């Protein structure tokens, strides 16, 4: 497993910066005329993001290693040949980078035209409508037309149509709904490998792979005959979060629609205290997304916080603080101020009792240290 | 008498084993004392099986070929028409054989024979020189990677030598998948110790103790020969904890590919060697710094490494004296396809394409006019006859919109349909794409479909194909997707008539 | 391995691959060893290899499915690989291949009904100066014309 990447962000910035930031000595470069200084080892893409310049991307995400497969993030660098991918190109002192040019626009449109030629055009009814990086990237590169079509009497090979011409499309793989929390729809997959890499690098479960090769490459959850449920998947949801399209999608989003607002909250399960973005429509909770600025979890979580949030609307859920003076009394619902004051006074009382006790002068026997427990409840 | 029958797989594919059996059978029946040596091939494939007979009467080895089992009685009776001494056959006489000097001459698995023909001189000199001087010698030779990219070998070695790591590796890329190329196979089957010696020198030079040869599964004979040669080299101390008694340890393991052309790309090869999917890695990091198992690794082609011994045997200056411009030394041309005199031709850089095809190769096998020559494998451009004055050299071909790659030339006569060849280039890319980057994964499939539309007379598809080729060339992660536009666009540019036939027929 | 042979057990599989564990990057040599033994990679090998090499089952499957050499089912009794690469095309391999497939009544990657021969494309056997070439059960034959192909098919009883 690769080293767990701890993303660093400007406070409050939820953007995906593309790649991690380097750790070396400061390096200064110019991107689209903007001077920026970043640590050595940082990618050109990240440096651009730091400078406020968004380079179109699909396979890069700042919690996994740069991969260099989507070829949308190409840039031009003065004095260097070709159009290197900005995600896998490290910054160098004095580098002059251009993220926009006619050549780059044409290249990005060409790549996007290929992507869309193997993607269903069902955006309006798609569960990721409005929350789809592929859709955003197509807009950002200005794709206006897909010119690829089948030769007369022939086929346009694709993974999204059940039938191709008169025949059953052998490349079409039906949706895998075996996992209770999310579905996998290969018809929408752009094979960016973000899910596979998230499973390896973020979660460390190695439940996913790309099977086959070339145009036949597909995300797979194991050996022949396996689906997501029988695979090694632990339903942490890192792959779903990593997916830029509706290929891996929470079933709640499919059912309830794209969430419109969000609240940062803390997971109600174990003591780790993972931060979540609770995404809602009105007061309807649609999904819980691990919050990337959460100090305890940095954008990742376990299955419970991610998917088992049914407690949120449960009638027994405790919504307000409760206190009682002794164990034989019933709980009493109070306001936060009263609850805090109560707790503080009890602690103070306890402290004074302890200070007065004879054993306080000698150091207490070392208590056996409890092993830290990772989300055991 | 000594009789030499090649065990090169091309010779075998043309009946060498049957001829060898017939010789032993007839000689036995006649009570002749025959010592049979299974040598490598000299590379005159149209003469294979090329049999040499040494009667031991001071006349040396007399060549015969192509020999069939039916010729054997006459051969043994001295009644078969001889080609004379093999070195006097013009195809061989015209060559400058440095890398292939021993190929065909010696018994490939006889280390003493190897040593008697200049072998091991290089590694002994290298051991005496020390690492720094070894690196300088390779830089001075001007040797550039013979796998296709033409990167200076000495610079690559220096990068690995300067990297700080407890373990370094020498990896030999023997995944010779380009159609029209067989030099790697021939040298492995005909002179495997030259590769082993070259890798040992590389190991000593950069401080690597382990070497791997990644050899494609389509070459079972080469795998057998090299595996045997490595065992012999280990038994004789050329490999092991003390290379030829020196303090340097170096050993080699032969690994078999599994049917993936893309594993000829060095980073895909490293992934495959590590037991992973053979997908291409983004560079940086360079393999020289983070290669096999993440350790500094020299990845060199077979011919690059097999040329190292002669550079150290004769000196860097001797090698660098041959060549043209920045292309120093010799190039091992592989003349193939529809060609009268096909085979391996080692010569200094600078000979023109036309000379190779018409003079050395003798024109097409079919006797029809040459239409195009694909130079540099399936990712190389189709060169029309109008470009026949282009000298063979890295920069010279680059200027003509081509590449010399691994120096294979595939000749096509005028019956070739260049639209079909362009379609095949896309189809091949689709079959062999690793699937990682989008331009190659989807682009190659779209390329086939778009060329089919052109064949149907859809003129709009020509512009689309051109745009697609731009996208693949500029956008692909490696040379497979990046260079497939060479054959496609060269076919479209130089042979536009082949792309208009259907349309005209339709009109 | 014959069509009707019993499926290899995990013990069979483990016995074949365990001696290769010490290699650096042992997965491909292991897969080659299994295919050498059984003629294909049995599905049961995936969990064994995953366990032995501390890999995910998915990873092992991803590797096997990447390489065209590795089969998930046994081939016919003989395997005929016909080179389709450029040098062989310049000498007419397309027509030769099509005629052969037509004669056998199968397509690429298919096996004749009697299980005698599987025909597969191959991209270069290094016989480019003596094209077209084919490989029958690991033996390369060059400068193949219709007559020589018929002779090969006769040899394998197809």
């Amino acid at each position: 497993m690769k080293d767990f990447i701890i993303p660093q962000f400007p406070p409050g910035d939820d953007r995906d910066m593309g790649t991690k930031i380097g750790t070396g000595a400061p390096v200064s470069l110019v991107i689209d005329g903007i001077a920026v200084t970043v640590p050595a080892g940082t990618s050109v893409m990240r440096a651009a993001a730091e400078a406020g310049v968004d380079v179109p991307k699909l396979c890069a995400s700042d919690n996994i290693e740069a991969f260099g497969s989507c070829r949308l993030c190409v840039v031009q660098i003065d004095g260097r040949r070709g159009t290197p991918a900005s995600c896998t190109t490290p910054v160098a002192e004095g580098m002059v980078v251009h993220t926009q040019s006619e050549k780059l626009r044409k290249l990005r449109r060409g790549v996007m035209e290929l992507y869309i030629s193997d993607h269903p055009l069902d955006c309006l009814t798609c569960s990721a409508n409005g929350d789809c990086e592929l859709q955003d990237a197509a807009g950002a590169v200005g794709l206006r037309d897909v010119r690829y079509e089948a030769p007369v009497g022939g086929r346009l090979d694709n993974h999204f149509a059940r039938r191709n011409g008169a025949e059953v499309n052998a490349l079409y793989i039906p949706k895998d709904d075996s996992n209770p929390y999310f579905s996998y729809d290969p018809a929408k997959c752009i094979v960016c490998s973000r899910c596979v890499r998230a499973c390896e690098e973020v979660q460390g479960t190695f439940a996913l792979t790309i099977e086959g090769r070339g145009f036949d490459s597909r995300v797979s959850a194991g050996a022949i005959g396996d689906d997501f449920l029988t695979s090694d998947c632990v339903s942490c949801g890192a792959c779903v979060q990593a997916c830029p399209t509706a290929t891996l999608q929470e079933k709640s989003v499919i059912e309830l629609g794209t969430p419109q607002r969000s609240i940062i909250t803390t997971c109600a399960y174990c003591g780790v205290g993972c931060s979540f973005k609770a995404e809602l429509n009105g007061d309807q909770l649609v999904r819980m997304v691990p919050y990337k600025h959460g100090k305890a979890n940095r954008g990742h979580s376990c299955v419970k916080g991610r998917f088992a949030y049914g407690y949120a609307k449960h009638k027994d859920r405790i919504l307000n603080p409760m206190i009682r003076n002794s164990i034989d009394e019933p709980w009493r619902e109070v306001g936060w101020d009263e609850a805090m004051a109560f707790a503080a006074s009890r602690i103070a009382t306890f402290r004074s009792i302890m200070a007065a006790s004879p054993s306080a002068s000698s150091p207490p026997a070392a208590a056996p240290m409890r092993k830290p427990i990772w989300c055991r409840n | 008498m000594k009789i030499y029958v090649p065990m090169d797989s091309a010779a075998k594919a043309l009946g060498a084993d049957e001829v060898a059996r017939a010789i032993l059978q007839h000689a036995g029946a006649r009570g002749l004392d025959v010592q049979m040596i299974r040598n490598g091939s000299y590379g005159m494939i149209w003469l294979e099986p090329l049999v040499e007979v040494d009667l031991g009467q001071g006349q040396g080895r007399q060549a015969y070929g192509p020999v069939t089992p039916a010729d054997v009685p006459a051969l043994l009776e001295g009644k078969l028409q001889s080609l004379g001494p093999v070195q006097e056959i013009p195809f061989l006489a015209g060559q400058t054989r440095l890398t292939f000097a021993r190929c065909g001459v010696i018994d490939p698995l006889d280390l003493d024979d190897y040593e008697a023909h200049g072998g091991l001189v290089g590694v002994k000199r290298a051991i005496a020189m020390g690492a720094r001087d070894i690196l300088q010698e390779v830089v001075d030779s001007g040797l550039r990677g013979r796998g296709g990219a033409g990167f200076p070998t000495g610079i690559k070695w220096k990068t690995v030598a300067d990297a700080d790591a407890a373990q370094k590796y020498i990896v030999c890329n023997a995944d010779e998948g380009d159609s029209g190329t067989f030099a790697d196979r021939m040298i492995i089957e005909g002179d495997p110790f030259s590769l082993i010696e070259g890798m040992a020198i590389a190991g000593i030079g950069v401080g690597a103790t382990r070497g791997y040869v990644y050899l494609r599964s389509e070459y079972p004979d080469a795998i057998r020969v090299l595996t045997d040669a490595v065992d012999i080299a280990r038994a004789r101390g050329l490999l092991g904890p003390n290379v030829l008694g020196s303090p340097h340890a170096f050993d080699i393991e032969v690994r078999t590919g599994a049917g993936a052309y893309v594993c000829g790309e060095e980073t895909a090869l490293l992934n495959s060697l590590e037991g992973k999917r053979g997908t291409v890695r983004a560079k940086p990091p360079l393999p020289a710094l983070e290669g096999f198992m993440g350790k500094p690794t020299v990845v060199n082609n077979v011919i690059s490494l097999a040329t190292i011994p002669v550079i150290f045997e004769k000196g860097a200056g001797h090698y660098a004296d041959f060549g043209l411009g920045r292309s120093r030394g010799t190039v091992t041309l592989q003349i193939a396809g529809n060609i009268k005199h096909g085979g391996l031709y080692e010569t200094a850089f600078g000979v023109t394409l036309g000379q190779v095809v018409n003079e050395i190769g003798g024109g097409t096998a079919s006797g029809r006019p040459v239409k195009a020559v694909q130079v540099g494998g399936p990712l190389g451009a189709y060169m029309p006859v109008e470009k026949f004055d282009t000298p063979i050299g890295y920069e010279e071909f680059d200027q003509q919109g081509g590449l010399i790659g691994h120096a294979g030339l595939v000749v096509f006569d005028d019956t070739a349909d260049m639209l079909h060849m362009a379609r095949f280039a896309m189809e091949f890319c689709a079959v062999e794409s690793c699937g990682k980057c989008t331009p190659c994964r989807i682009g190659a499939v779209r390329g086939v479909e778009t060329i089919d539309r052109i064949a149907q007379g859809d003129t709009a598809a020509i512009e689309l194909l051109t745009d697609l080729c731009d996208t693949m060339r500029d956008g692909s992660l490696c040379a497979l997707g990046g260079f497939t536009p060479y054959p496609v666009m060269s076919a479209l540019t130089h042979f536009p008539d082949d792309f208009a036939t259907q349309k005209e027929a339709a009109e | 391995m014959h069509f009707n042979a019993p499926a290899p057990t995990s013990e069979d599989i483990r016995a074949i691959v365990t001696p290769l564990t010490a290699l650096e990057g042992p997965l491909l040599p292991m897969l080659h060893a299994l295919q050498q033994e059984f003629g294909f990679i049995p599905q049961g090998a995936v969990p064994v290899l995953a366990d032995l090499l501390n890999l995910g089952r998915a990873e092992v499957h991803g590797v096997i499915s990447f390489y065209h050499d590795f089969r998930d089912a046994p081939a016919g009794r003989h395997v005929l690989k016909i080179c389709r690469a450029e040098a062989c095309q310049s000498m007419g391999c397309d027509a030769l291949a099509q005629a052969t497939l037509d004669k056998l009544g199968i397509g690429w990657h298919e096996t004749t009904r009697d299980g005698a021969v599987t025909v597969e494309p191959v991209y270069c056997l290094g016989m480019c100066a003596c094209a077209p070439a084919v490989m029958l059960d690991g033996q390369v034959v060059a400068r193949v014309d219709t007559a020589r192909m018929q002779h090969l098919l006769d040899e394998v009883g197809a």
Side-chain angles (χ1 to χ4, degrees), chain C residues 7 17 72 88 94 102 118 151 156:
Chain C
V17 298
D72 55 16
C88 285
D94 280 353
D102 289 349
T118 303
H151 178 72
V156 300

Side-chain angles (χ1 to χ4, degrees), chain A residues 61-364:
Chain A
S61 189
D62 52 21
N63 62 345
I64 47 180
E65 295 281 353
F67 195 56
S69 78
C70 78
R71 316 312 285 175
L72 276 180
C73 73
V74 287
V75 293
Q76 284 173 300
I77 299 170
D78 285 359
R80 294 200 192 181
R81 293 215 310 186
T83 45
S86 61
C87 64
T88 55
T89 304
V91 294
E93 187 62 40
M95 201 179 235
V96 178
V97 180
H98 309 277
T99 73
Q100 296 292 335
S101 73
E102 187 46 41
K103 185 184 173 79
L104 293 171
R105 273 191 291 279
K106 187 162 182 271
L107 180 50
R108 289 182 190 137
R109 269 198 297 268
V111 173
M112 188 51 74
E113 189 177 6
L114 289 171
Y115 268 126
I116 303 306
S117 75
D118 189 27
H119 194 83
L121 295 175
D122 61 352
C123 290
L124 289 180
T125 52
C126 177
S127 58
N129 187 17
D131 182 25
C132 172
E133 292 180 41
L134 185 68
Q135 204 176 39
D136 297 346
V141 306
L143 181 70
R144 298 291 172 254
D145 191 14
V146 176
R147 296 168 293 168
Y148 297 105
E149 53 186 69
V152 177
R155 297 177 318 195
L156 187 81
D157 274 349
N158 68 77
H159 296 92
F160 60 82
R162 283 190 177 77
R163 302 189 70 81
N164 197 340
E167 293 164 22
V168 171
N169 183 3
L171 294 171
Y172 176 81
I173 304 171
K175 199 169 174 181
D176 175 357
D177 268 326
S178 62
N179 186 291
Y181 308 115
F182 60 87
S183 64
Y184 165 52
D185 186 356
K188 298 191 171 187
C189 180
I190 60 168
V191 204
C192 63
S193 293
R194 274 164 67 170
C195 54
V196 179
R197 290 178 289 142
C199 191
E200 292 177 10
E201 299 172 31
V202 177
Q203 166 64 19
T205 293
F206 298 83
L208 300 180
T209 188
I210 301 292
E211 69 176 3
R213 76 182 193 210
F215 195 68
D216 297 337
S217 301
R218 290 286 104 182
V219 171
S220 164
I224 296 167
D226 268 329
D227 56 23
F228 267 80
L229 198 63
T230 63
S231 73
D232 294 337
C233 172
V234 296
S235 301
C236 73
C239 57
V240 182
Q241 202 179 342
C243 182
T245 68
T247 306
L248 286 160
Q249 185 72 283
E250 294 92 347
K251 286 186 173 172
S252 59
V253 174
I254 295 173
E255 193 190 324
L256 301 169
T258 317
Q260 301 299 316
R261 68 183 187 101
S262 66
I263 297 167
I264 306 304
T265 184
T266 304
C267 180
Y269 280 108
C270 75
V272 172
C274 292
S275 275
F276 276 85
K277 218 173 169 179
E279 299 191 344
L280 306 103
N281 276 333
D283 68 346
Q284 170 73 59
L285 180 57
V286 178
R287 68 178 164 192
M288 293 281 278
V289 182
Y291 185 47
K292 70 197 294 183
H293 298 304
K295 294 272 189 281
N297 60 320
R298 298 187 190 274
H300 187 47
S301 75
C302 74
V303 56
K304 286 195 257 186
R306 180 83 161 94
F307 293 116
Y309 49 78
Y311 63 82
K313 284 273 206 178
H314 197 278
K315 62 179 172 52
D316 289 345
R317 185 175 171 195
I318 297 165
L319 297 169
N320 293 298
M322 293 189 289
I323 60 172
R324 58 182 174 183
N325 274 311
S326 68
I327 200 164
D328 51 354
E329 283 184 15
W331 289 104
R332 190 157 54 83
E333 234 178 58
V334 296
W336 279 109
D337 288 343
E338 188 184 345
M340 296 302 276
F342 176 78
S345 76
R346 281 306 185 90
I347 290 168
T349 313
F350 186 64
R351 190 193 281 151
S352 61
I353 295 169
M354 290 300 284
S357 79
S359 62
S361 52
S362 59

